[in-house]
Amino acid sequence: MPISDYLVTIGLEVHCQIKTQTKMFCSCKAGFGYEPNTNVCPTCLGMPGAMPVLNEYAIERTVLTGLMLGCSMPPVSKWDRKNYFYADMPKNYQTSQLDLPLCIGGEVPLYSWAFPPDCKKKADGAVVRTVKLDHIHLEEDAAKLTHFGSYSLVDYNRGGTPLMEIVSAPDLTSPEETYAYLKSLQQILICGGISDADMEKGQMRCDVNVSLRPKGQKELGAKIEMKNLNSMSAARRALIYEIARQAEELDMGIAQVQSTRRWDDDLGESFVMRTKENAHDYRYHTCPDLIPVHTAPYVEKMQQALPELPDARQKRLMEQYSLPVADANALVADAALCAYFETAAAATTAPRKVANWLINTLPPILAEKELTIATCPVSPQTLAGLIDVVEEGICSTNQAKDVLALLWDNQELTAAAAAASLGFKKTDVGALEALVEKIIADNPKVVAGIREGNMKFVNALTGQVMKNSNPKPNPKLVTEIITAKLGL
Ligand code: ZN
Ligand code: MN
């Protein structure tokens, strides 16, 4: 039967590295880029007798995430040991949380701008729908293993760093929604300063599980899990493949077995790794070394620290700066771009023009020079100055690109000084009007063409005026004067 006759159910487990100075249970430095195995101590190396000490900041950030996502916090949250034997975990157990995690329930909004670009455009509202969460718990990351032909290397720097696991309910229904879920969640985590959530750097990692069942069947089909999908588009691709594979097998009468598969993004195929272990395989038990956490003081403290969420920001941008919805969406989708915008918008009288520059003009220039908005050599204040120069009629939008090029290499210049050094001056409107009158008088044939309704000839007149002007006026202004003089 066609794929559309199957109901698709998707659930996600997202691991997110919390941006902290130190590890979860010891005072070793967190963060990456250090020599392997230099940020280690008896606790994070699992030496016998070494005792863990809680990182309060990581608890606060997890609670803050929960508050941003509308979770509730149990009065007491506790720690559990998840036992397994592998080289990335020297204690042979991961300190995690099983039945009393820090945050329970909650939901992730799917923002309209977070869907894949090739997807059917969503309605203008900020939130398309919300996806239910099961819980959020806090745990420690494992060490990083790198496998070579006949041997493996292990870096314990990452071992014991704070890791937040955000577990959704099986509430997603398509690969596109899954993509939007990851993107929306990433934006919220960045908004709250919880994590940089860069999937390429492994700061945000995602496991998906997906099952199919024929329409009308109540119970879910066998859950197939795919681990460590390292980008949003990889997660989407893996799901598209997996849904088709399961549908095909179900069509042939092959029952699905709960299992874990590995997605190979280069091959575009998934392969069975193992049939799924259940939670009891890990012999979870309460950690005797850590006392439970009373959540109330953290909830109270973090309620004071709630940041503006992306949907609230989108609404504010539209109201405060009179931005069209598409512009507000584009800015909210990129935290760095949004911050740049707000600084520049505060320094000019034309915030809509700032948005237009940031969304349309600047990106191709930055891309060509392999820069990002964060490394853009032109400051928001300078860009605001450039927009004011255009607004004051000193140069046209097109001419402003030349000014921008000069500013790019001369960061000490103001936009006004750069425009002046390129010979752009505020137009003497009286002189310009006199010139327009002269050009009109000199070109009776062209004027006759315009009078017959051929508006293309207006451009010819504008060109004549531009040619005879030094410095060059704003061509838009010239056209305006011409049409006014001709009474059009
Ligand atoms: Zn340590
Ligand atoms: Mn985990």
Side-chain angles (χ1 to χ4, degrees):
M1 59 198 205
I3 286 191
S4 55
D5 284 350
Y6 288 104
L7 292 172
V8 175
T9 306
I10 298 167
L12 259 76
E13 288 170 17
V14 173
H15 282 93
C16 167
Q17 289 182 342
I18 303 176
K19 207 159 44 165
T20 59
Q21 299 288 317
T22 57
K23 293 190 181 182
M24 190 61 230
F25 301 112
C26 63
S27 57
C28 288
K29 263 194 216 134
F32 75 9
Y34 299 99
E35 274 291 291
N37 299 307
T38 51
N39 295 327
V40 290
C41 74
T43 298
C44 58
L45 286 179
M47 301 291 182
M51 294 293 274
V53 178
L54 284 174
N55 182 336
E56 258 201 315
Y57 183 80
I59 295 174
E60 288 178 4
R61 295 286 110 179
T62 305
V63 169
L64 179 60
T65 306
L67 291 174
M68 287 194 292
L69 298 174
C71 305
S72 56
M73 288 76 199
V76 173
S77 172
K78 72 174 178 73
W79 306 93
D80 300 284
R81 292 183 176 180
K82 181 184 181 178
N83 297 284
Y84 72 92
F85 183 80
Y86 200 52
D88 65 1
M89 192 52 81
K91 294 181 299 184
N92 293 340
Y93 61 82
Q94 178 190 32
T95 306
S96 181
Q97 302 194 289
L98 180 66
D99 50 337
L100 282 173
L102 278 165
C103 311
I104 293 171
E107 52 195 26
V108 173
L110 300 186
Y111 296 132
S112 57
W113 54 83
F115 283 78
D118 59 325
C119 234
K120 192 164 151 267
K121 205 176 163 296
K122 302 288 161 192
D124 281 345
V127 177
V128 176
R129 78 168 186 98
T130 56
V131 174
K132 285 194 181 60
L133 285 180
D134 186 82
H135 75 272
I136 304 175
H137 69 255
L138 185 53
E139 58 189 27
E140 58 183 324
D141 208 346
K144 190 170 172 50
L145 285 170
T146 313
H147 301 289
F148 297 89
S150 56
Y151 65 100
S152 297
L153 296 178
V154 58
D155 178 7
Y156 287 104
N157 283 353
R158 198 182 73 181
T161 56
L163 196 64
M164 184 168 65
E165 184 170 335
I166 301 163
V167 181
S168 85
D171 191 25
L172 289 149
T173 59
S174 71
E176 290 68 37
E177 274 191 356
T178 303
Y179 181 103
Y181 174 95
L182 289 167
K183 187 113 200 160
S184 302
L185 185 59
Q186 181 183 52
Q187 285 177 8
I188 292 167
L189 293 169
I190 293 171
C191 246
I194 310 292
S195 172
D196 293 331
D198 188 334
M199 289 189 81
E200 264 177 35
K201 291 185 183 154
Q203 291 163 335
M204 183 167 140
R205 311 195 283 266
C206 133
D207 305 336
V208 302
N209 55 68
V210 52
S211 68
L212 263 59
R213 68 185 197 276
K215 272 185 184 160
Q217 182 182 312
K218 263 209 131 167
E219 64 274 25
L220 295 176
K223 186 165 92 173
I224 313 283
E225 187 173 29
M226 283 182 288
K227 289 251 180 221
N228 276 325
L229 299 158
N230 51 20
S231 74
M232 291 168 199
S233 36
R236 186 187 178 199
R237 280 191 292 274
L239 280 167
I240 291 171
Y241 171 88
E242 187 57 25
I243 291 166
R245 188 193 65 79
Q246 288 183 34
E248 199 181 307
E249 292 199 2
L250 289 170
D251 278 349
M252 293 189 289
I254 304 172
Q256 298 299 296
V257 193
Q258 185 176 335
S259 53
T260 302
R261 297 178 74 90
R262 183 177 64 82
W263 169 250
D264 187 317
D265 204 34
D266 295 327
L267 288 178
E269 277 179 62
S270 70
F271 304 91
V272 190
M273 279 167 71
R274 55 179 182 262
T275 50
K276 176 71 180 167
E277 60 287 302
N278 280 313
H280 60 250
D281 293 336
Y282 289 116
R283 297 293 191 269
Y284 272 99
H285 62 88
T286 303
C287 179
D289 289 343
L290 288 161
I291 53 167
V293 177
H294 286 268
T295 57
Y298 296 107
V299 173
E300 201 175 308
K301 183 174 175 190
M302 287 303 109
Q303 255 155 358
Q304 313 303 313
L306 273 175
E308 180 184 48
L309 288 176
D311 48 326
R313 179 172 293 172
Q314 181 237 29
K315 205 161 162 258
R316 180 176 59 77
L317 290 179
M318 292 200 292
E319 280 165 11
Q320 188 175 340
Y321 304 107
S322 315
L323 292 186
V325 63
D327 287 9
N329 288 357
L331 291 173
V332 169
D334 182 335
L337 195 67
C338 199
Y340 190 108
F341 167 78
E342 294 223 52
T343 313
T348 165
T349 51
R352 283 186 68 157
K353 298 273 167 59
V354 178
N356 197 24
W357 271 82
L358 291 184
I359 295 163
N360 301 312
T361 313
L362 220 45
I365 301 173
L366 288 168
E368 195 200 311
K369 297 174 193 286
E370 293 184 4
L371 293 169
T372 65
I373 193 70
T375 51
C376 176
V378 177
S379 72
Q381 290 80 4
T382 305
L383 185 75
L386 180 59
I387 285 156
D388 285 344
V389 163
V390 177
E391 288 298 292
E392 286 161 22
I394 294 171
C395 70
S396 70
T397 305
N398 246 337
Q399 293 163 336
K401 287 177 192 158
D402 298 336
V403 182
L404 182 72
L406 185 64
L407 289 167
W408 207 272
D409 302 317
N410 299 277
Q411 284 134 47
E412 73 293 346
L413 283 181
T414 64
S421 79
L422 290 175
F424 298 121
K425 265 194 231 135
K426 195 171 160 67
T427 310
D428 177 344
V429 178
L432 187 58
E433 282 182 339
L435 178 62
V436 168
E437 277 166 20
K438 185 179 173 296
I439 299 282
I440 287 176
D442 291 350
N443 294 277
K445 276 191 190 153
V446 179
V447 172
I450 297 171
R451 298 243 181 256
E452 278 160 24
N454 196 341
M455 298 309 286
K456 267 194 208 150
F457 287 143
V458 174
N459 295 340
L461 287 186
T462 304
Q464 285 283 324
V465 175
M466 294 300 289
K467 216 168 104 189
N468 289 286
S469 310
N470 192 23
K472 301 285 171 223
N474 184 336
K476 251 199 198 139
L477 177 63
V478 174
T479 306
E480 270 172 38
I481 295 173
I482 293 170
T483 49
K485 291 278 170 203
L486 293 175
L488 299 171

